[in-house]
Amino acid sequence: MKHLITICALSIWGLTFSFAQTEETYTQTLKTYFTVSGSMETYKTVITQTVDMYKSQGTYQLSDEEWDVLAEELMGASVDDLVELLVPVYQNHLTEADLQSIIEFYQSPVGKKLSVKTPLLAQESMQAGQAWGYKLGQRVAEKLMNKDE
């Protein structure tokens, strides 16, 4: 009986340790994906813009050095927090092997080009999307106005 309990305890410990390693390696792989895809830089830009917004409001009387320290602290902690929140989301849709393949793509010349161009593509796409949304709104309004006639 003692052997059975020992075997069960070791099995549970082994599964827990294995899961922790898997979770840790997935998290590291996800961080690598975010880095090579350019997503990490986007997250850091959001943090910088948020700090700059608070700084420009003038509500908080901090020196430039204090603002820089705050931004630096948030940069590490907030990005790590975000990654931890995103791990289960990505695990629901992509295996670690999937992420490795995507990372390989982003390490290719065209993948590197895409990661550099993605912020520009996003910015220009937002502008195009706004124009498209405005045009669509005009069409809807026109159709609704003509319906009454």
Side-chain angles (χ1 to χ4, degrees), residues 38-143:
S39 297
M40 193 66 78
E41 286 305 312
T42 301
Y43 301 148
K44 289 178 180 180
T45 299
V46 169
I47 292 168
T48 301
Q49 289 174 342
T50 302
V51 170
D52 288 347
M53 179 188 71
Y54 277 97
K55 184 178 177 180
S56 70
Q57 288 175 350
T59 305
Y60 304 98
Q61 302 303 314
L62 300 176
S63 68
D64 287 343
E65 183 179 306
E66 289 171 315
W67 281 112
D68 292 343
V69 168
L70 176 62
E72 195 62 36
E73 287 176 11
L74 290 173
M75 203 66 71
S78 294
V79 169
D80 287 343
D81 290 344
L82 179 60
V83 170
E84 291 300 319
L85 289 171
L86 292 176
V87 165
V89 174
Y90 275 77
Q91 281 179 322
N92 283 336
H93 303 283
L94 298 170
T95 66
E96 190 168 352
D98 293 335
L99 286 177
Q100 291 290 355
S101 295
I102 295 167
I103 289 167
E104 285 178 32
F105 164 73
Y106 275 106
Q107 291 173 333
S108 72
V110 72
K112 287 177 182 178
K113 181 177 182 179
L114 178 61
S115 72
V116 169
K117 297 292 184 179
T118 294
L120 297 171
L121 290 167
Q123 183 181 16
E124 292 176 28
S125 294
M126 282 179 29
Q127 292 169 350
Q130 288 172 343
W132 174 76
Y134 179 76
K135 193 181 248 186
L136 182 64
Q138 286 180 323
R139 286 183 185 163
V140 169
E142 184 180 300
K143 293 280 184 191

Side-chain angles (χ1 to χ4, degrees), residues 16-30:
T16 303
F17 181 72
S18 173
F19 178 74
Q21 276 189 316
T22 302
E23 188 80 18
E24 187 177 310
T25 59
Y26 193 93
T27 300
Q28 288 300 68
T29 303
L30 188 61

